[in-house]
Amino acid sequence: MDQQVKEQIENSINNSDVCLFMKGSPEAPQCGFSMAVSNILKILEVKYQSVDVLKDQKIREGIKIYSEWPTIPQLYIKKEFIGGCDIIKEMFENGELKKVFDEKGIGYKK
């Protein structure tokens, strides 16, 4: 991954408390996994930034290297990689995701 791609990824993560790298946009997800995670964030009314990895192949591949995680979507909260779709769904279902938002001071619908 070149330095410019790394900086773009880091800027997205650093400039938003909650950042979701996904395929498509929250309004028009381009895969079911991305839709599932963005829907969870919508249900919780969490303000977040999304990055459409389909718009830039270098970002799409670079985020996988950056996080050492092979799949998209990827959720970051306060610069920390939280996980992909399966992890986020499980955390949402068992209440862990709300705990992370509480610990990191992120507002959501309680």
Side-chain angles (χ1 to χ4, degrees), residues 3 9 12 26 39 53 64 73 82-83 102 107 110:
Q3 189 61 32
I9 290 168
S12 294
N39 283 345
V53 300
K64 296 174 187 179
I82 304 301
D102 285 337
K110 300 202 182 219

Side-chain angles (χ1 to χ4, degrees), residues 48-88:
Y48 69 100
Q49 174 191 348
S50 66
V51 177
D52 181 356
V53 300
L54 297 178
K55 288 184 176 178
D56 188 334
Q57 184 66 25
K58 290 180 180 177
I59 298 291
R60 184 176 180 175
E61 295 307 315
I63 191 63
K64 296 174 187 179
I65 296 166
Y66 184 85
S67 63
E68 298 179 358
W69 192 259
T71 59
I72 293 165
Q74 295 186 14
L75 183 65
Y76 287 79
I77 301 174
K78 293 271 183 143
K79 304 177 188 175
E80 179 185 348
F81 175 60
I82 304 301
C85 182
D86 291 344
I87 291 170
I88 300 305

Side-chain angles (χ1 to χ4, degrees), residues 16 18-20 22 26 38-39 41-42 46-50:
S16 182
V18 182
C19 184
L20 177 63
M22 64 182 293
S38 72
N39 283 345
L41 296 174
K42 284 179 193 172
V46 172
K47 182 181 170 199
Y48 69 100
Q49 174 191 348
S50 66

